[in-house]
Amino acid sequence: PLRYPATCMFKGSVESEKYQYIIHGGKTPNNELSDKIYVMSVVCKNNKKVTFRCTEKDLVGDVPEARYGHSIDVVYSRGKSVGVLFGGRAYIPSAQRTTEKWNSVADCLPHVFLLDFEFGCSTAYILPELQDGLSFHVSIARNDTIYILGGHSLANNVRPANLYRIRVDLPLGSPAVNCTVLPGGISVSSAILTQTNKDEFVIVGGYQLENQKRMVCNIVSFEDNKIAIREMETPDWTPDIKHSKIWFGSNMG
């Protein structure tokens, strides 16, 4: 059992009907961090019963350290696919841990990891545009591109209005990864992201300050590979939501 794992859906190709789920990292109930990666797939559907298979996947190369609050997505380029892992928090290095600070966490380095699920290889990339570690950001994957929105920087205790575009090219040789800083980002962490149609997503909830819930909602739309973020009409929140100290939710359907 894990808390805050990073999860994504993985198809062998964009057109494939079969898919698996990739699960990475998270916290255990004993407050331990996991660096394990699991592949979960549907084995069979029999009447109303669905049977899953979950297998642990070993990685070699630049293996991401145990973390939580990060994101994992899959991109597709030139008929190939690769996982992209970014952000999160981890315990401070063992040399810095004292009895008082044993469970202290810090931002992970802002490296972008490419994960080859077929061969179990992981490679870390350092991109100059990504200067600060981020956690609980929003990530959206489209074809060969991932968009990173918002997030929380533990080192600075800020939720910058980030909007990064990370593009992955998978030629026959080494992959090429580049990052572009885009205008029009939003300041949010721990939000819920739901896809409402092929080119549209909705962002609900989250925090804009440490003790301030984010009550506005946003629509993220794509047209000709351009991203646009705009506020949508706010729902009539129930008193329970308005006055609760904790803001959470699930897929909005």
Side-chain angles (χ1 to χ4, degrees):
L2 301 174
R3 299 170 182 152
Y4 317 121
T7 308
C8 67
M9 193 169 76
F10 170 52
K11 297 181 179 181
S13 66
V14 178
E15 299 82 14
S16 175
E17 292 294 320
K18 290 187 176 181
Y19 57 86
Q20 301 170 314
Y21 290 101
I22 309 296
I23 304 166
H24 178 273
K27 266 188 177 184
T28 71
N30 294 329
N31 229 21
E32 297 167 337
L33 296 187
S34 171
D35 64 352
K36 296 186 182 302
I37 188 163
Y38 299 100
V39 179
M40 182 179 285
S41 56
V42 175
V43 180
C44 67
K45 293 182 179 179
N46 188 3
N47 295 329
K48 294 184 178 179
K49 185 178 180 181
V50 180
T51 305
F52 288 96
R53 176 185 291 128
C54 186
T55 56
E56 186 177 333
K57 187 82 174 176
D58 292 324
L59 292 177
V60 296
D62 305 322
V63 179
E65 65 180 312
R67 62 187 66 202
Y68 70 101
H70 54 305
S71 62
I72 185 169
D73 296 278
V74 176
V75 293
Y76 301 89
S77 168
R78 302 175 189 255
K80 294 183 283 187
S81 61
V82 71
V84 183
L85 186 149
F86 174 72
R89 292 176 184 169
Y91 286 126
I92 60 175
S94 55
Q96 301 173 23
R97 297 175 83 176
T98 63
T99 304
E100 294 79 19
K101 297 197 301 180
W102 194 255
N103 286 333
S104 295
V105 293
D107 297 317
C108 293
L109 293 173
H111 295 169
V112 173
F113 293 87
L114 295 193
L115 311 178
D116 186 320
F117 299 122
E118 183 180 356
F119 298 104
C121 301
S122 174
T123 308
Y125 291 82
I126 300 173
L127 305 177
E129 294 82 5
L130 299 171
Q131 291 292 319
D132 298 310
L134 291 170
S135 327
F136 299 106
H137 49 277
V138 172
S139 65
I140 301 175
R142 281 177 60 83
N143 301 322
D144 63 354
T145 303
I146 288 177
Y147 296 88
I148 303 291
L149 290 83
H152 179 235
S153 170
L154 199 60
N156 307 314
N157 193 25
V158 294
R159 289 166 175 79
N162 293 323
L163 179 52
Y164 298 109
R165 182 180 64 208
I166 299 172
R167 186 163 281 153
V168 180
D169 187 20
L170 300 174
L172 284 175
S174 299
V177 184
N178 66 71
C179 178
T180 306
V181 181
L182 301 177
I186 55 175
S187 174
V188 63
S189 67
S190 305
I192 306 155
L193 177 76
T194 299
Q195 186 166 5
T196 50
N197 64 45
K198 179 176 173 288
D199 297 312
E200 195 172 271
F201 297 78
V202 173
I203 297 174
V204 178
Y207 294 88
Q208 57 192 41
L209 293 171
E210 193 69 32
N211 296 310
Q212 188 174 346
K213 298 180 297 185
R214 193 170 186 271
M215 307 304 284
V216 299
C217 305
N218 294 89
I219 292 178
V220 182
S221 54
F222 292 89
E223 188 175 348
D224 298 328
N225 283 332
K226 290 184 178 178
I227 183 172
I229 304 173
R230 67 183 191 275
E231 284 191 19
M232 61 181 287
E233 186 177 346
T234 304
D236 186 13
W237 303 116
T238 65
D240 285 351
I241 290 179
K242 287 180 181 176
H243 303 301
S244 69
K245 292 183 179 179
I246 299 176
W247 181 212
F248 64 96
S250 60
N251 193 310
M252 304 296 288

